[in-house]
Amino acid sequence: MADQFQGLDPAAFRSALARFPSGVTIVTTRSASGTLHGFTASSFAALSLDPPLVLVCLDRGADCSPVFTAAERFIVNIVTPAHAELAIKFATKGENKFANGAFEFDESGHPLLPDAAAVIHCELEHVAPGGDHVILIGRVHDARTGNGKPVTWYRDDFLHLGESAA
């Protein structure tokens, strides 16, 4: 397990991180057996323009972690305010995440949100350890933008762009 820094209060660290607004994504894939999987992530970033790479962090303890670390492809859906409830569902263990029918499928059968602010199709390039998470590095092979504005996660709640933070 990761080393603990003497004197670091985990609650204070989490609270400090919550003061950094971040985007919200729903990351999806289809397993080799055809089962759909997904999770909500706010730890997402561009890594490189040439080659086009992104990274997303996934909790090692997530039920879908083994599927994503073995996946050939995954899709990053950048969430809009209309997806807030769906993002909460995808952050919850044991939910039937794909039950609401909001998803469409690409040519490979991977689920995507057609009304997302952006949809980024990735091939899994590399998986790196990151403490209690794994870092999925994806080579982008397609990126499309939608009309909606993205939503951010700030102090344990959704914050819409243009809204004042409390």
Side-chain angles (χ1 to χ4, degrees), residues 27 35 42 51 65 99 122 142 164:
V27 184
T35 305
S42 58
S65 183
C122 303
D142 188 39
S164 294

Side-chain angles (χ1 to χ4, degrees), residues 126-149:
H126 183 67
V127 177
D132 58 1
H133 282 62
V134 292
I135 303 163
L136 305 174
I137 298 174
R139 181 178 291 260
V140 178
H141 66 86
D142 188 39
R144 298 183 183 161
T145 58
N147 294 326
K149 291 182 180 180

Side-chain angles (χ1 to χ4, degrees), residues 25-29 37-43 56-59 62 64-65 68 74-77 79 86-87 89-92 97-98 133-134 136:
T25 66
I26 294 176
V27 184
T28 59
T29 195
H37 295 273
F39 66 96
T40 297
S42 58
S43 295
V56 63
C57 299
L58 172 60
D59 187 328
C64 63
S65 183
F68 276 91
F74 62 90
I75 296 178
V76 178
N77 300 277
V79 172
L86 189 62
K89 181 184 274 192
F90 271 74
T92 306
K97 298 174 180 180
F98 293 93
H133 282 62
V134 292
L136 305 174

Side-chain angles (χ1 to χ4, degrees), residues 48-96:
S48 170
L49 291 176
D50 187 16
L53 300 173
V54 296
L55 66 81
V56 63
C57 299
L58 172 60
D59 187 328
R60 288 180 187 272
D63 293 340
C64 63
S65 183
V67 173
F68 276 91
T69 58
E72 290 182 17
R73 294 178 174 222
F74 62 90
I75 296 178
V76 178
N77 300 277
I78 298 178
V79 172
T80 68
H83 303 119
E85 286 184 36
L86 189 62
I88 290 169
K89 181 184 274 192
F90 271 74
T92 306
K93 285 188 175 192
E95 288 285 327
N96 184 356

